[in-house]
Amino acid sequence: MRIAQLAPLAESVPPKLYGGTERVIAWLVDELVGFGHDVTLFASGDSRTSGKLHPVWPRALRLGRRGADPNAACALLIEAIAKRAGDFDVIHSHVDWLPLPVLRRTGIPFLTTMHGRLDLPGLSDVVRQLADASFVSISDDQRLPLPDALWIATIKHGLPKDLFQPCYEVGRYLAFLGRLTADKGPEDAIRIAHAARMPLRIAAKIPRGETAYFKKKLEPQIDGEKVQLVGEVDETRKQPFLAGAAALLFPINWPEPFGLVMIEAMACGTPVIAYRSGSVPEVIEDGVTGFIVDGEEQAIEAVKESARLDRRKIRARFEERFSASRMAREYESQYRKLIDGANCTGGSIPGRGKEPEP
C-alpha cells in the first residue's frame, strides 16, 4: 500500500524530548515500512524516518524559532496533502480536526487517529458536520464523549519490543514522568512519596503556560534529595530512569486517552500505580502490571505492595499486549478495509468522503 502519514508539527518525528504522539507515529511508520509498505511522512523538516519524508515546515514548532505561527504551519501541511493525495491509497491523519474538510474532498480513503481528550465544548457539532469521517480511538474510554462519531476501531498504542531493556531488581525510588500540569497529578505524587517514605524523581516537561503553577505549587517542594527534578529525558535517559524505579506514579486527574508512559514503564518491568481515570483500567491489569487506586491513601498502600509484583510478568504482559508490531498490524487491517470499501463502492463511503464535484 501507498500510505500517507500526517503528523503534528509541534514536535519532530520522533521528538527530541517530550512528545508521545510523534513517538508513536515514528514507531508506526517504521513497522509499516518493515511490512513492505510505501510510507510517506508529512512532518517537520527535522524529522527522521525510515519512510519517505515530505518536510512541511523547517523545524518542529516547540523547539524552533519562537513566534512562528502554528496555523501557518498547519495550512502548509493541509496544502501539501491536498496536492499529493492522488499519490496514495490511504491517508492516515494524526492532526485531529483541521485537515478533515480537505481530506473528505480528495476522494482518497482516510482515517484520523484522535490522540487527545474529546470532552471539549463544540466537538459534537463538528462530528455532526463530518459524519462520514472515520476515526480511530486509542482507548474505548476516549471515545465516550463523542458516541456519534464514526469510530471504526480502538487501537491501543504500542512500542518496539527492543526499545527498553527491563530490570528485574526492585528500585529504590518512585518515578513521575510527564508534563508538570495539575491534571497529571505531580502534587499528589509528591505527597504519596512522602507518605510512603520513598524518594521521588520527576522527569518532566514544564509547559510554557504552566510556569506559574510550577513556581507556586511544585518548586518549593523540590529539595533535590527527597524530591528531585531531573528535567525532560530522551529515550536514552528514559530507560534507566524507569527501569530503576520501584514504581511509576500516575496519579492523573483527567480523562487520559491512553498514557504512553504506562506501557513504557511496563516495558522496563516497572509496576505502575495509577488513579482510576480515563484509559487506566484498559492499560493496567490490577495486581499484575501495577495497581489501580482511588486516591492517595490507596496509592500509598500500593507502593508498599508493589515490590511483590513479578517484574518479569510485567514485561511479558507488555510484550503480549503493547508491541509496535501489534499496533501496526491493526492499522494495516483498517487501511485495507477502507481501500477495499472504496474499490467496491466507487462512491461515498466512511473514511472516503464525498467525491469532488466536476
Side-chain angles (χ1 to χ4, degrees):
M1 287 183 283
R2 299 170 300 160
I3 305 166
Q5 297 283 340
L6 310 187
L9 300 173
E11 307 285 349
S12 62
V13 178
K16 303 297 187 294
L17 294 169
Y18 187 87
T21 297
E22 295 80 10
R23 192 163 278 115
V24 170
I25 295 169
W27 297 329
L28 175 59
V29 171
D30 287 346
E31 293 291 333
L32 291 172
V33 170
F35 295 165
H37 298 297
D38 182 355
V39 184
T40 300
L41 173 66
F42 291 74
S44 63
D46 53 344
S47 298
R48 294 174 289 104
T49 179
S50 58
K52 301 172 182 175
L53 178 63
H54 182 121
V56 175
W57 194 257
R59 193 160 183 255
L61 292 169
R62 186 170 77 90
L63 300 179
R65 186 171 60 185
R66 293 180 67 90
D69 187 346
N71 291 325
C74 191
L76 291 182
L77 173 65
I78 295 170
E79 176 65 8
I81 190 59
K83 286 181 176 179
R84 293 198 56 194
D87 295 342
F88 305 105
D89 300 311
V90 65
I91 300 169
H92 186 173
S93 174
H94 303 267
V95 196
D96 294 343
W97 310 100
L98 286 178
L100 291 178
V102 170
L103 294 179
R104 292 176 68 241
R105 289 164 173 80
T106 63
I108 303 302
F110 72 93
L111 71 161
T112 299
T113 296
M114 304 305 296
H115 290 270
R117 67 188 301 171
L118 301 177
D119 59 336
L120 303 176
L123 295 188
S124 58
D125 295 329
V126 177
V127 165
R128 279 194 292 272
Q129 292 294 320
L130 303 171
D132 60 348
S134 295
F135 296 99
V136 170
S137 54
I138 55 178
S139 66
D140 290 335
D141 184 85
Q142 181 197 30
R143 62 168 69 178
L144 294 179
L146 297 177
D148 295 330
L150 182 56
W151 298 109
I152 60 173
T154 290
I155 300 179
K156 295 181 173 65
H157 289 334
L159 56 89
K161 291 182 179 180
D162 60 355
L163 184 66
F164 294 135
Q165 296 302 311
C167 175
Y168 300 129
E169 297 181 3
V170 177
R172 299 178 180 274
Y173 59 87
L174 299 173
F176 178 93
L177 176 62
R179 288 179 290 112
L180 289 181
T181 65
D183 286 346
K184 293 288 188 177
E187 294 174 78
D188 291 49
I190 292 172
R191 290 192 295 267
I192 292 165
H194 280 321
R197 297 185 177 183
M198 291 192 68
L200 177 67
R201 294 185 186 176
I202 301 173
K205 165 187 175 181
I206 304 173
R208 291 175 182 173
E210 299 291 339
T211 303
Y213 167 74
F214 173 76
K215 292 286 186 182
K216 182 177 181 180
K217 297 291 187 179
L218 301 178
E219 192 172 46
Q221 302 186 70
I222 298 173
D223 60 8
E225 295 182 6
K226 293 181 179 179
V227 181
Q228 298 180 28
L229 177 64
V230 302
E232 288 190 68
V233 292
D234 57 16
E235 296 291 359
T236 302
R237 296 172 60 205
K238 185 184 293 185
Q239 193 276 332
F241 174 78
L242 289 172
L248 171 76
L249 297 182
F250 197 68
I252 56 171
N253 185 31
W254 73 298
E256 173 71 65
F258 184 79
L260 187 63
V261 65
M262 290 191 285
I263 66 171
E264 291 176 329
M266 290 166 56
C268 296
T270 302
V272 180
I273 299 170
Y275 284 3
R276 191 188 310 275
S277 185
S279 64
V280 166
E282 298 176 53
V283 178
I284 299 302
E285 296 170 274
D286 190 50
V288 179
T289 58
F291 294 101
I292 302 171
V293 299
D294 297 300
E296 291 179 32
E297 187 173 331
Q298 289 185 14
I300 295 164
E301 292 301 313
V303 170
K304 300 174 184 177
E305 293 292 316
S306 61
R308 70 175 176 81
L309 296 182
D310 185 342
R311 293 173 74 105
R312 286 181 172 79
K313 180 66 173 179
I314 294 172
R315 169 69 190 197
R317 292 301 289 155
F318 153 74
E319 292 186 4
E320 292 165 9
R321 301 184 63 208
F322 296 113
S323 71
S325 59
R326 184 273 311 158
M327 172 182 68
R329 286 298 185 195
E330 292 182 17
Y331 276 116
E332 182 185 50
S333 174
Q334 295 303 318
Y335 300 157
R336 293 194 188 281
K337 288 179 182 179
L338 289 173
I339 293 168
D340 290 346
N343 291 336
C344 288
T345 65
S348 179
I349 61 167
R352 178 171 182 170
K354 297 178 180 179
E355 293 290 346
E357 297 179 1

